[in-house]
Amino acid sequence: MITFANGHAIGYDDVGTGIPVLFLHGFPHNRSLWAPQLGALATAARTISMDLRGFGESVPGSTGSMDDYADDAAALLDTMGIDRVVVVGLSMGGYVAFAFWRRHRSRVRALVLCDTRAGADSETSRASRREMQALAQGQGLTAVANQLISGMVGSTTRLNNPELVDEMHRMMSLAPEDGVVGALEAMLTRPDSTLTLASITVPTLIVVGDEDALTPVKEARAMHLAIVGSRLEIIAGAGHVSNAERPATFNHVLSEFLISLTAQ
Ligand code: MLT
């Protein structure tokens, strides 16, 4: 579905009934990343996935910041008449979740931070992002996908699930150039969220694949230590897109967390 919110088109899916859960994808993905969750969790939750601006059907999207992505999410919820949600963000989606918490915390029922990190980019990472912007503009998104694919999934997936590797490569190579360049800018200018962690007062689940090379387990442990009362789940045999690589385990962990919320 497509709606118009915060000044531009936003593509989204809205499946199921129950506690509202908003899924935010990573870079350079689109909302189809969450297909294994939307189908499976729809009997227990109202599952909503959205394309961040510049991706999927949320195009054309002007260059933005993590704050803009977060405001887009809040505007989408407004159009749907939803007040509070469980916010689930993977990697870049986690950066957006931190911004959403800073700007719209009264709307956050709980947080799920997947394969992400709290810190800002180092100077080296910023330089790499600038190079990737040039790569996207000069050689296109297939070149970007070629560069990203090995870090995107874990070694177990590379060995046992080449279809998923192909699917992730296809998703990334179809990402619009403007969206990719804009997201790289948003990531390299994003603030450090480390101090935000101590302000998080809602139930929080942290999920990471044990083979995640981009946002490794130590990042998840650091967030777990800093967020009082948070839960940490390490998914065996999964890399950076743990929700897609180990969907049954991921869905089990997420379902248990959602049940614990509704039981409160
Ligand atoms: C992502 O999957 O969103 C990216 O790995 C995030 C990043 O490049 O920092």
Side-chain angles (χ1 to χ4, degrees), residues 50-65:
M50 66 178 286
D51 290 324
L52 295 174
R53 83 168 58 177
F55 295 93
E57 291 182 303
S58 296
V59 288
S62 58
T63 302
S65 60

Side-chain angles (χ1 to χ4, degrees), residues 38-188:
L38 262 61
L41 296 170
T43 52
R46 181 173 181 185
T47 56
I48 302 151
S49 60
M50 66 178 286
D51 290 324
L52 295 174
R53 83 168 58 177
F55 295 93
E57 291 182 303
S58 296
V59 288
S62 58
T63 302
S65 60
M66 291 303 150
D67 287 352
D68 289 324
Y69 293 140
D71 291 353
D72 290 348
L76 172 65
L77 296 177
D78 289 343
T79 66
M80 299 171 82
I82 297 174
D83 183 20
R84 293 179 86 209
V85 284
V86 178
V87 179
V88 182
L90 185 134
S91 200
M92 182 176 76
Y95 311 157
V96 180
F98 290 132
F100 193 89
W101 170 255
R102 284 189 291 266
R103 295 169 75 77
H104 306 285
R105 69 182 60 182
S106 65
R107 306 188 72 165
V108 181
R109 172 76 181 82
L111 278 173
V112 183
L113 303 168
C114 315
D115 300 281
T116 191
R117 61 158 49 86
D121 277 4
S122 64
E123 276 315 313
T124 313
S125 303
R126 289 196 180 107
S128 305
R129 303 234 197 250
R130 294 267 180 237
E131 282 169 20
M132 190 167 286
Q133 286 176 320
L135 184 68
Q137 286 164 329
Q139 295 181 44
L141 264 295
T142 300
V144 171
N146 290 345
Q147 187 168 311
L148 289 175
I149 191 64
S150 66
M152 199 52 65
V153 295
S155 52
T156 304
T157 297
R158 276 199 295 281
L159 192 66
N160 298 332
N161 195 350
E163 295 82 12
L164 180 60
V165 180
D166 288 350
E167 198 183 312
M168 288 307 304
H169 189 280
R170 191 163 45 252
M171 187 195 297
M172 295 192 291
S173 58
L174 290 174
E177 182 190 310
D178 286 353
V180 166
V181 171
L184 286 163
E185 197 65 35
M187 287 195 288
L188 73 89

